[in-house]
Amino acid sequence: MTDVRRAAERYPGGDPEAGITTRHAFSFGSHYDPDNLRFGAVIACNEERLAPGAGFDEHPHSHTEIITWVVEGELTHRDSAGHTSVVRPGDVQRLSAATGVHHVERNDGPTPLTFVQMWLAPLHPGGEPRYEVVRGIADSTPYAVPEAGAVLHVRRLAPAQRTAVPDAAQVYIHVVRGDLRLHPTDRPALGGIPHDPPHGGESDTSRNGEPDTPGPDTHLAPGDAARLTDPKGLELTATSAAEILLWEMSPRPPR
């Protein structure tokens, strides 16, 4: 099953007067939606934009795997375990909150900062907080988060380039930049002209909130996300230079 959520459907958040603009893909804070709490391990996928000098003051997390991808600018991170780092485009930052950690996230640079932050629920609570940054991750290097039963694939595609969608229990695709088409492997993409609502249009879900059966060729634009359940024989074709974050997830054990 394919459930496409458009960028325009994201919940607005942040504090624009303080230079913080946020767009949430899932129920978050005061924007409570009981039908949109999570997809597989993913419980948050936030697009964050910070003006120079803006940021999130010290705040706590626990029992969450926090993965951050910088799109442009530089993110300064400090946490209660003594880690300090500057995260740049191409780096993958991971904070395993475990039993509890506090951190600060700021734009201490002179230019605007844009990043995507994804929260994953661990398979089991507890453990010790951990932190790492993988510098300049390559497309061919999957980033495993075994604590959440998930693997992150970063894909940077040239126009007309293809990449396979993993045959996994669940796959979450977030489009960072560019335009793509999601289609069956044995059927070429229909081309650069969308055959369903363009970026900012209605989602591929019906008005009662239930996913519609997708067509053979689905257009994805920046900020869009595709939630795939038990996908088989699908691929993505870029219709412009594109960058995507793709989570491959194993089945979640029963609670």
Side-chain angles (χ1 to χ4, degrees):
M1 182 178 72
T2 300
D3 179 8
V4 174
R5 306 294 178 105
R6 299 298 179 187
E9 295 177 272
R10 288 175 171 265
Y11 306 109
D15 185 353
E17 292 186 0
I20 302 171
T21 301
T22 305
R23 293 292 181 268
H24 302 288
F26 293 87
S27 181
F28 199 98
S30 60
H31 299 283
Y32 177 67
D33 180 353
D35 296 322
N36 190 27
L37 298 177
R38 67 189 296 167
F39 179 74
V42 183
I43 57 177
C45 181
N46 303 333
E47 293 181 333
E48 306 283 3
R49 292 173 174 82
L50 304 183
F56 300 99
D57 293 332
E58 184 172 307
H59 57 282
H61 289 283
S62 63
H63 309 301
T64 310
E65 299 291 324
I66 303 171
I67 312 298
T68 304
W69 177 259
V70 173
V71 180
E72 60 181 358
E74 296 183 343
L75 172 66
T76 298
H77 165 96
R78 295 187 294 274
D79 64 45
S80 55
H83 303 108
T84 299
S85 63
V86 177
V87 187
R88 299 177 176 88
D91 299 340
V92 172
Q93 175 186 255
R94 176 183 175 188
L95 176 63
S96 296
T99 53
V101 67
H102 290 68
H103 74 151
V104 175
E105 299 164 295
R106 298 197 58 82
N107 180 7
D108 289 336
T111 60
L113 164 66
T114 300
F115 64 96
V116 179
Q117 189 167 93
M118 298 156 287
W119 298 5
L120 278 65
L123 296 170
H124 306 287
E128 293 296 319
R130 290 181 294 119
Y131 178 80
E132 71 171 346
V133 178
V134 177
R135 302 292 183 183
I137 193 166
D139 283 11
S140 58
T141 305
Y143 183 79
V145 185
E147 292 82 355
V151 177
L152 175 65
H153 302 272
V154 178
R155 293 288 184 264
R156 306 173 185 92
L157 304 176
Q161 186 177 358
R162 299 181 177 187
T163 187
V165 173
D167 292 344
Q170 293 173 306
V171 173
Y172 184 85
I173 301 169
H174 172 80
V175 182
V176 176
R177 66 179 102 231
D179 291 87
L180 307 101
R181 306 206 67 87
L182 175 67
H183 60 94
T185 303
D186 59 359
R187 178 169 179 169
L190 296 177
I193 300 175
H195 289 258
D196 50 276
H199 177 51
E202 292 187 16
S203 74
D204 291 348
T205 55
S206 63
R207 296 185 184 278
N208 65 7
E210 294 298 323
D212 287 334
T213 301
D217 193 297
T218 301
H219 172 247
L220 298 174
D224 290 351
R227 307 176 187 188
L228 311 179
T229 302
D230 195 27
K232 294 291 187 296
L234 295 177
E235 67 181 11
L236 291 155
T237 299
T239 56
S240 67
E243 180 177 275
I244 61 171
L245 304 175
L246 186 155
W247 283 103
E248 175 185 359
M249 294 176 279
S250 56
R252 305 289 291 185
R255 295 184 179 182

